[in-house]
Amino acid sequence: MDLGEIQNTILDRRTKGIPGSVQPFPLKELKNKKWNILNEDMPMPLMVLKQKNYIHNLKTFSNYLEKHHLEIAPHGKTTMAPQIYADQIKYGAWGITAGAINQIQVMFDFGINKVLLANQLLGKSHLETIASYINQNKNFSFYCFVDSIDQFLNMKKNLGNHALINPINLLPEIGAENGRTGIRKKEDFLKLVNEIGNDQSKNFKFAGISSYEGIAAVAMKGSNVVHEFCSKIEDIINDIPSNFYSNLDELLITAGGSTHFDIVGERFSKIKLSVPIKVLLRSGCYITHDHGPYLDALETAKGDADRQWDQSLQPALEIWSYVQSIPEKNLAFLTMGKRDAPYDAGLPKPIKRFRPGEGFLDVGKAEIFSTNDQHAFVKLPDDHEWKIGDMICSGISHPCTAFDKWKFIPVVDDDYNVVDGILTYF
């Protein structure tokens, strides 16, 4: 991957998180600024990436995959940060997963050679884009979901007369009742696989099976629902006639979100067919983890003797803001809101308090109970010692809706010195 363009990107006062008093400068010069968050060198609110925890998560997940003979194509929609993609590939990622065509355009532009679209592909512009990428770069491998014969026919129609130097690798998707996309019935799945196999254009190839266990609302229902869904998938896989995959070097089976990936990995690794199986997870949130649902889910998994997961990830994202008002004894407002922090899977949690000139102080039992565009409402206990001007560090929930609020994210060391910066491309 060539990240030179990113390092040469100019940051200026129009960039959220950059002080309005500085002259424009390229990202590669950020570390020379010697900025420190606790010195109030940067405006707030500000989301930061803690370097030590980030590297810990990369290493921990890489070791887990190696130990259990699994692969990963991390979901790139989580971060939309090519610098992070490069680190994930450095630590063994097979490729990167996308959720939409615009994400693929970013990935291709920065040199990702294996992209899995965990979604359906259809429509003229989309097919023309993928065809051009395949024919521009012989090393580019593209995989996508397909969940109906109608969708497959739409792909063929919109590909038109294009002859591809490498085929589009199709992964028929198995879905859950009352879930999202994906085939519900085994017979429909086998009809689709047969339709793909009978295609004479050589532009398409049946490459494996796809699914997503999380769409069955399993995160709130416990691991038993995941096992039930895996059993359905295994039943379908075992009924696929061997001639459909006998020409493959390997059959790819992909599932695995960020909460029950260990169950998926263990179950699918035990499937025996006449060709080797590659189990490909797509977890995206492990890279930064959180102080919310993913923390709770993986701590629960770690405490379950029947689960494979026994590691600890560390929350790597924090959002800093000021206490701007305490209009009532038990009510404070912070200088951050929906524009700055996730709120779809839980509100930020105050975890640290810093007072310029004094240092770190007890944050107390403070709770953010609501957010507006630019404000966070905080419930304070009677004995609180918060003051206007205090700096509050909050942990976030759901990394997928944290990164998309920031074009620029400073990377900090344990002392909150700014040592690097990440750019996102949403």
Side-chain angles (χ1 to χ4, degrees):
M1 294 181 64
D2 183 4
L3 302 178
E5 175 187 337
I6 294 177
Q7 291 300 322
N8 289 319
T9 297
I10 299 298
L11 304 180
D12 59 27
R13 61 192 177 202
R14 297 169 296 181
T15 307
K16 183 179 175 182
I18 296 299
S21 57
V22 302
Q23 294 299 311
F25 64 93
L27 176 64
K28 63 185 177 184
E29 293 182 6
L30 176 64
K31 59 182 178 295
N32 299 329
K33 299 294 182 182
K34 307 296 183 185
W35 287 338
N36 182 283
I37 306 303
L38 305 181
N39 287 343
E40 301 182 90
D41 291 329
M42 304 180 76
M44 295 186 192
L46 187 68
M47 189 167 82
V48 301
L49 177 66
K50 299 193 73 178
Q51 187 179 58
K52 184 177 179 180
N53 292 4
Y54 168 73
I55 296 299
H56 167 85
N57 295 342
L58 278 166
K59 291 180 177 178
T60 298
F61 218 84
S62 178
N63 291 339
Y64 165 78
L65 294 169
E66 184 176 359
K67 177 181 178 182
H68 295 284
H69 309 291
L70 303 170
E71 301 279 354
I72 190 169
H75 221 317
K77 70 177 175 61
T78 299
T79 67
M80 285 306 293
Q83 293 153 283
I84 291 179
Y85 300 162
D87 285 337
Q88 290 173 312
I89 290 171
K90 175 183 175 182
Y91 281 87
W94 171 90
I96 302 293
T97 294
I101 196 75
N102 64 294
Q103 297 165 12
I104 298 170
Q105 292 169 193
V106 172
M107 294 168 188
F108 182 83
D109 208 49
F110 282 100
I112 300 295
N113 282 332
K114 281 185 180 177
V115 173
L116 189 162
L117 174 63
N119 213 339
Q120 279 65 43
L121 178 71
L122 70 165
K124 178 174 176 285
S125 176
H126 295 177
L127 267 297
E128 288 180 348
T129 294
I130 296 304
S132 70
Y133 290 172
I134 289 173
N135 286 339
Q136 282 178 54
N137 180 0
K138 65 180 181 181
N139 296 317
F140 181 68
S141 297
F142 177 75
Y143 297 71
C144 71
F145 290 7
V146 57
D147 75 347
S148 68
I149 291 176
D150 283 347
Q151 184 214 330
F152 178 53
L153 295 178
N154 181 281
M155 293 176 69
K156 290 177 64 175
K157 180 188 74 173
N158 284 299
L159 195 58
N161 295 322
H162 290 283
L164 305 182
I165 61 174
N166 288 315
I168 294 174
N169 296 286
L170 297 178
L171 303 169
E173 180 190 8
I174 301 170
E177 291 295 334
N178 300 314
R180 196 169 57 191
T181 55
I183 299 169
R184 292 349 188 212
K185 296 179 181 179
K186 181 193 298 186
E187 53 267 34
D188 292 335
F189 183 93
L190 296 177
K191 288 177 182 177
L192 173 59
V193 174
N194 185 61
E195 183 78 18
I196 296 169
N198 289 333
D199 178 67
Q200 300 298 311
S201 71
K202 297 184 179 180
N203 282 337
F204 301 95
K205 183 174 80 172
F206 168 66
I209 297 93
S210 64
S211 192
Y212 173 47
E213 74 290 346
I215 205 56
V218 296
M220 303 304 294
K221 295 183 179 180
S223 58
N224 287 339
V225 181
V226 185
H227 283 291
E228 291 172 6
F229 190 51
C230 286
S231 294
K232 173 185 177 179
I233 296 171
E234 291 161 356
D235 180 53
I236 292 175
I237 291 172
N238 288 325
D239 274 4
I240 299 174
S242 59
N243 62 291
F244 286 152
Y245 54 73
S246 59
N247 63 326
L248 301 178
D249 294 328
E250 63 184 13
L251 186 73
L252 192 152
I253 303 176
T254 178
S258 293
T259 58
H260 292 83
F261 54 82
D262 58 310
I263 296 176
V264 169
E266 181 179 17
R267 292 283 301 251
F268 294 164
S269 294
K270 294 177 180 178
I271 297 174
K272 301 297 181 184
L273 297 176
S274 59
V275 296
I277 291 174
K278 182 188 293 293
V279 179
L280 185 69
L281 306 183
R282 303 194 306 274
S283 311
C285 293
Y286 76 91
I287 191 68
T288 59
H289 202 37
D290 71 0
H291 284 88
Y294 294 107
L295 174 64
D296 294 341
L298 293 192
E299 286 302 304
T300 298
K302 192 171 66 169
D304 187 339
D306 295 326
R307 299 280 295 270
Q308 240 183 21
W309 180 253
D310 59 359
Q311 304 296 307
S312 289
L313 299 177
Q314 297 176 0
L317 291 177
E318 295 177 350
I319 293 190
W320 284 80
S321 59
Y322 286 113
V323 179
Q324 74 175 77
S325 179
I326 309 178
E328 301 172 18
K329 181 179 179 180
N330 303 112
L331 177 66
F333 288 89
L334 303 180
T335 59
M336 69 172 184
K338 287 181 167 69
R339 308 273 184 182
D340 316 299
Y343 53 91
D344 61 315
L347 295 173
K349 298 179 180 181
I351 56 176
K352 299 175 187 176
R353 180 167 65 105
F354 184 86
R355 182 170 295 164
E358 295 187 34
F360 282 99
L361 302 170
D362 182 18
V363 71
K365 294 182 179 179
E367 177 189 1
I368 296 175
F369 64 91
S370 184
T371 54
N372 291 153
D373 286 357
Q374 311 290 169
H375 297 89
F377 296 63
V378 187
K379 180 181 179 181
L380 296 174
D382 288 341
D383 61 351
H384 79 84
E385 297 181 351
W386 284 31
K387 290 185 178 180
I388 292 173
D390 284 353
M391 298 162 59
I392 305 300
C393 170
S394 297
I396 63 101
S397 65
H398 199 190
C400 288
T401 52
F403 278 92
D404 66 339
K405 294 170 174 58
W406 297 88
K407 177 183 178 182
F408 159 71
I409 302 168
V411 179
V412 299
D413 64 17
D414 286 350
D415 295 319
Y416 290 96
N417 296 303
V418 177
V419 297
D420 202 354
I422 299 291
L423 299 188
T424 67
Y425 291 79
F426 285 94

